[in-house]
Short mmCIF file of all heavy atoms in Angstrom, two decimals:
data_model
loop_
_atom_site.label_atom_id
_atom_site.label_comp_id
_atom_site.label_asym_id
_atom_site.label_seq_id
_atom_site.Cartn_x
_atom_site.Cartn_y
_atom_site.Cartn_z
N CYS A 278 272.34 -18.23 -100.11
CA CYS A 278 272.04 -18.59 -98.72
C CYS A 278 270.48 -18.40 -98.51
O CYS A 278 270.04 -17.31 -98.43
CB CYS A 278 272.80 -17.79 -97.78
SG CYS A 278 272.28 -17.85 -96.08
N PRO A 279 269.67 -19.52 -98.40
CA PRO A 279 268.28 -19.35 -98.20
C PRO A 279 267.92 -18.62 -96.83
O PRO A 279 266.97 -17.80 -96.82
CB PRO A 279 267.74 -20.85 -98.03
CG PRO A 279 268.90 -21.67 -98.64
CD PRO A 279 270.17 -20.91 -98.47
N ALA A 280 268.68 -18.82 -95.79
CA ALA A 280 268.41 -18.11 -94.54
C ALA A 280 268.62 -16.65 -94.65
O ALA A 280 267.95 -15.77 -94.09
CB ALA A 280 269.22 -18.66 -93.33
N CYS A 281 269.60 -16.18 -95.49
CA CYS A 281 269.93 -14.84 -95.69
C CYS A 281 268.79 -14.14 -96.53
O CYS A 281 268.40 -13.03 -96.18
CB CYS A 281 271.24 -14.69 -96.54
SG CYS A 281 272.68 -15.45 -95.66
N VAL A 282 268.30 -14.85 -97.47
CA VAL A 282 267.17 -14.32 -98.32
C VAL A 282 265.97 -14.20 -97.43
O VAL A 282 265.28 -13.18 -97.54
CB VAL A 282 266.94 -15.26 -99.56
CG1 VAL A 282 265.63 -14.83 -100.21
CG2 VAL A 282 268.14 -15.27 -100.49
N GLN A 283 265.68 -15.17 -96.64
CA GLN A 283 264.56 -15.10 -95.69
C GLN A 283 264.65 -13.90 -94.77
O GLN A 283 263.73 -13.19 -94.56
CB GLN A 283 264.42 -16.38 -94.94
CG GLN A 283 263.23 -16.48 -94.09
CD GLN A 283 263.08 -17.77 -93.38
OE1 GLN A 283 264.05 -18.55 -93.26
NE2 GLN A 283 261.90 -18.13 -92.80
N LEU A 284 265.89 -13.60 -94.20
CA LEU A 284 266.09 -12.51 -93.33
C LEU A 284 265.84 -11.21 -93.99
O LEU A 284 265.12 -10.34 -93.51
CB LEU A 284 267.55 -12.56 -92.80
CG LEU A 284 267.98 -11.33 -91.91
CD1 LEU A 284 267.30 -11.29 -90.63
CD2 LEU A 284 269.52 -11.35 -91.76
N LYS A 285 266.34 -11.10 -95.28
CA LYS A 285 266.09 -9.85 -96.02
C LYS A 285 264.67 -9.67 -96.35
O LYS A 285 264.15 -8.48 -96.29
CB LYS A 285 266.98 -9.90 -97.27
CG LYS A 285 268.43 -9.79 -97.06
CD LYS A 285 269.22 -9.98 -98.39
CE LYS A 285 270.67 -10.13 -98.17
NZ LYS A 285 271.38 -10.40 -99.44
N ASN A 286 263.97 -10.73 -96.83
CA ASN A 286 262.55 -10.58 -97.21
C ASN A 286 261.59 -10.37 -96.03
O ASN A 286 260.59 -9.64 -96.20
CB ASN A 286 262.09 -11.83 -97.96
CG ASN A 286 262.75 -11.83 -99.37
OD1 ASN A 286 263.36 -10.87 -99.86
ND2 ASN A 286 262.85 -13.00 -99.98
N ASN A 287 261.89 -11.02 -94.87
CA ASN A 287 260.94 -11.05 -93.77
C ASN A 287 261.13 -9.89 -92.79
O ASN A 287 260.23 -9.38 -92.20
CB ASN A 287 260.91 -12.36 -93.07
CG ASN A 287 260.45 -13.45 -93.94
OD1 ASN A 287 259.80 -13.25 -94.94
ND2 ASN A 287 260.69 -14.69 -93.55
N GLU A 288 262.40 -9.56 -92.57
CA GLU A 288 262.76 -8.58 -91.48
C GLU A 288 263.10 -7.23 -91.94
O GLU A 288 262.80 -6.21 -91.30
CB GLU A 288 263.85 -9.12 -90.60
CG GLU A 288 263.63 -10.52 -90.08
CD GLU A 288 262.25 -10.70 -89.32
OE1 GLU A 288 261.75 -9.72 -88.71
OE2 GLU A 288 261.67 -11.80 -89.40
N PHE A 289 263.70 -7.09 -93.10
CA PHE A 289 264.17 -5.81 -93.57
C PHE A 289 262.95 -4.76 -93.90
O PHE A 289 263.15 -3.61 -93.60
CB PHE A 289 265.08 -5.94 -94.80
CG PHE A 289 266.47 -6.28 -94.50
CD1 PHE A 289 266.80 -6.68 -93.26
CD2 PHE A 289 267.43 -6.38 -95.49
CE1 PHE A 289 268.14 -7.17 -92.97
CE2 PHE A 289 268.68 -6.77 -95.23
CZ PHE A 289 269.07 -7.18 -94.01
N PRO A 290 261.87 -5.25 -94.37
CA PRO A 290 260.79 -4.31 -94.63
C PRO A 290 260.38 -3.56 -93.36
O PRO A 290 259.99 -2.38 -93.41
CB PRO A 290 259.66 -5.16 -95.19
CG PRO A 290 260.35 -6.28 -95.81
CD PRO A 290 261.55 -6.56 -94.95
N ALA A 291 260.24 -4.27 -92.18
CA ALA A 291 259.87 -3.68 -91.00
C ALA A 291 260.95 -2.56 -90.52
O ALA A 291 260.60 -1.47 -90.07
CB ALA A 291 259.79 -4.62 -89.86
N LEU A 292 262.28 -2.83 -90.70
CA LEU A 292 263.33 -1.92 -90.42
C LEU A 292 263.26 -0.70 -91.36
O LEU A 292 263.42 0.46 -90.97
CB LEU A 292 264.65 -2.58 -90.36
CG LEU A 292 264.83 -3.62 -89.27
CD1 LEU A 292 266.05 -4.48 -89.62
CD2 LEU A 292 264.87 -2.99 -87.96
N LYS A 293 263.12 -0.96 -92.63
CA LYS A 293 263.09 0.11 -93.69
C LYS A 293 261.91 1.00 -93.42
O LYS A 293 261.93 2.24 -93.58
CB LYS A 293 263.10 -0.48 -95.04
CG LYS A 293 264.41 -1.11 -95.43
CD LYS A 293 264.31 -1.65 -96.88
CE LYS A 293 265.69 -2.14 -97.28
NZ LYS A 293 265.62 -2.78 -98.63
N ALA A 294 260.75 0.43 -92.93
CA ALA A 294 259.52 1.29 -92.60
C ALA A 294 259.96 2.22 -91.45
O ALA A 294 259.21 3.26 -91.34
CB ALA A 294 258.39 0.32 -92.19
N LYS A 295 260.91 1.94 -90.67
CA LYS A 295 261.36 2.87 -89.60
C LYS A 295 262.53 3.72 -89.98
O LYS A 295 263.21 4.15 -89.17
CB LYS A 295 261.74 2.05 -88.30
CG LYS A 295 260.56 1.25 -87.68
CD LYS A 295 259.51 2.21 -87.18
CE LYS A 295 258.41 1.41 -86.46
NZ LYS A 295 257.41 2.22 -85.83
N ASN A 296 262.73 3.82 -91.37
CA ASN A 296 263.80 4.60 -91.96
C ASN A 296 265.22 4.10 -91.65
O ASN A 296 266.20 4.87 -91.64
CB ASN A 296 263.62 6.08 -91.52
CG ASN A 296 262.32 6.63 -91.98
OD1 ASN A 296 261.98 6.36 -93.13
ND2 ASN A 296 261.68 7.40 -91.14
N TRP A 297 265.33 2.81 -91.46
CA TRP A 297 266.73 2.25 -91.35
C TRP A 297 267.26 2.19 -92.78
O TRP A 297 266.55 1.91 -93.72
CB TRP A 297 266.64 0.88 -90.75
CG TRP A 297 266.51 0.78 -89.28
CD1 TRP A 297 265.55 1.45 -88.51
CD2 TRP A 297 267.27 0.06 -88.29
NE1 TRP A 297 265.72 1.11 -87.23
CE2 TRP A 297 266.76 0.32 -87.06
CE3 TRP A 297 268.42 -0.77 -88.55
CZ2 TRP A 297 267.36 -0.27 -85.97
CZ3 TRP A 297 268.94 -1.38 -87.41
CH2 TRP A 297 268.41 -1.11 -86.15
N GLU A 298 268.53 2.52 -92.90
CA GLU A 298 269.28 2.32 -94.17
C GLU A 298 269.98 0.99 -94.12
O GLU A 298 270.70 0.70 -93.22
CB GLU A 298 270.18 3.48 -94.31
CG GLU A 298 269.60 4.85 -94.45
CD GLU A 298 270.58 5.95 -94.60
OE1 GLU A 298 271.73 5.68 -95.04
OE2 GLU A 298 270.18 7.05 -94.31
N ILE A 299 269.68 0.23 -95.20
CA ILE A 299 270.24 -1.11 -95.28
C ILE A 299 270.78 -1.29 -96.66
O ILE A 299 270.12 -1.04 -97.68
CB ILE A 299 269.15 -2.23 -95.06
CG1 ILE A 299 268.50 -2.02 -93.73
CG2 ILE A 299 269.74 -3.58 -95.24
CD1 ILE A 299 267.25 -2.79 -93.48
N GLY A 300 272.13 -1.46 -96.76
CA GLY A 300 272.71 -1.68 -98.05
C GLY A 300 274.31 -1.88 -97.89
O GLY A 300 274.79 -2.03 -96.78
N ALA A 301 274.98 -1.73 -99.05
CA ALA A 301 276.43 -1.93 -99.05
C ALA A 301 277.16 -0.75 -98.59
O ALA A 301 278.39 -0.77 -98.36
CB ALA A 301 276.85 -2.38 -100.44
N ASP A 302 276.46 0.38 -98.48
CA ASP A 302 277.14 1.66 -98.04
C ASP A 302 277.78 1.56 -96.63
O ASP A 302 277.18 0.98 -95.71
CB ASP A 302 276.15 2.75 -98.01
CG ASP A 302 276.32 3.70 -99.17
OD1 ASP A 302 277.34 3.54 -99.91
OD2 ASP A 302 275.60 4.69 -99.22
N LYS A 303 278.87 2.27 -96.49
CA LYS A 303 279.48 2.28 -95.15
C LYS A 303 278.70 3.22 -94.18
O LYS A 303 278.84 3.21 -93.04
CB LYS A 303 280.93 2.84 -95.25
CG LYS A 303 281.89 1.82 -95.90
CD LYS A 303 283.32 2.32 -95.81
CE LYS A 303 284.25 1.34 -96.42
NZ LYS A 303 285.63 1.76 -96.45
N SER A 304 277.81 3.93 -94.76
CA SER A 304 276.86 4.79 -93.93
C SER A 304 275.51 4.23 -93.56
O SER A 304 274.72 4.89 -92.98
CB SER A 304 276.75 6.20 -94.67
OG SER A 304 275.98 5.97 -95.82
N SER A 305 275.30 2.98 -93.90
CA SER A 305 274.02 2.28 -93.59
C SER A 305 274.02 1.85 -92.17
O SER A 305 275.01 1.61 -91.54
CB SER A 305 273.89 1.09 -94.55
OG SER A 305 273.82 1.45 -95.90
N HIS A 306 272.83 1.76 -91.60
CA HIS A 306 272.59 1.24 -90.24
C HIS A 306 273.10 -0.21 -90.29
O HIS A 306 273.68 -0.80 -89.40
CB HIS A 306 271.18 1.20 -89.81
CG HIS A 306 270.56 2.48 -89.72
ND1 HIS A 306 269.89 3.27 -90.70
CD2 HIS A 306 270.52 3.44 -88.64
CE1 HIS A 306 269.45 4.35 -90.26
NE2 HIS A 306 269.80 4.52 -88.99
N ILE A 307 272.59 -0.97 -91.31
CA ILE A 307 273.00 -2.38 -91.55
C ILE A 307 273.78 -2.44 -92.83
O ILE A 307 273.20 -2.13 -93.95
CB ILE A 307 271.82 -3.30 -91.63
CG1 ILE A 307 271.06 -3.29 -90.27
CG2 ILE A 307 272.31 -4.76 -91.89
CD1 ILE A 307 269.83 -4.06 -90.19
N ARG A 308 275.05 -2.73 -92.80
CA ARG A 308 275.84 -2.82 -93.96
C ARG A 308 275.88 -4.36 -94.42
O ARG A 308 276.34 -5.16 -93.73
CB ARG A 308 277.29 -2.36 -93.70
CG ARG A 308 278.21 -2.37 -94.85
CD ARG A 308 279.51 -1.80 -94.58
NE ARG A 308 280.54 -2.02 -95.61
CZ ARG A 308 281.80 -1.99 -95.44
NH1 ARG A 308 282.35 -1.57 -94.31
NH2 ARG A 308 282.62 -2.15 -96.49
N VAL A 309 275.34 -4.58 -95.57
CA VAL A 309 275.23 -5.84 -96.21
C VAL A 309 276.51 -6.16 -96.88
O VAL A 309 276.94 -5.51 -97.72
CB VAL A 309 274.03 -5.97 -97.23
CG1 VAL A 309 273.98 -7.35 -97.71
CG2 VAL A 309 272.75 -5.58 -96.38
#
Side-chain angles (χ1 to χ4, degrees):
C278 167
C281 302
V282 172
Q283 185 177 16
L284 173 69
K285 291 175 189 176
N286 291 340
N287 295 342
E288 307 307 328
F289 284 7
L292 293 167
K293 287 179 179 179
K295 297 293 185 179
N296 297 318
W297 280 51
E298 293 179 24
I299 302 170
D302 251 0
K303 289 184 180 182
S304 62
S305 299
H306 296 92
I307 299 175
R308 181 176 172 198
V309 180

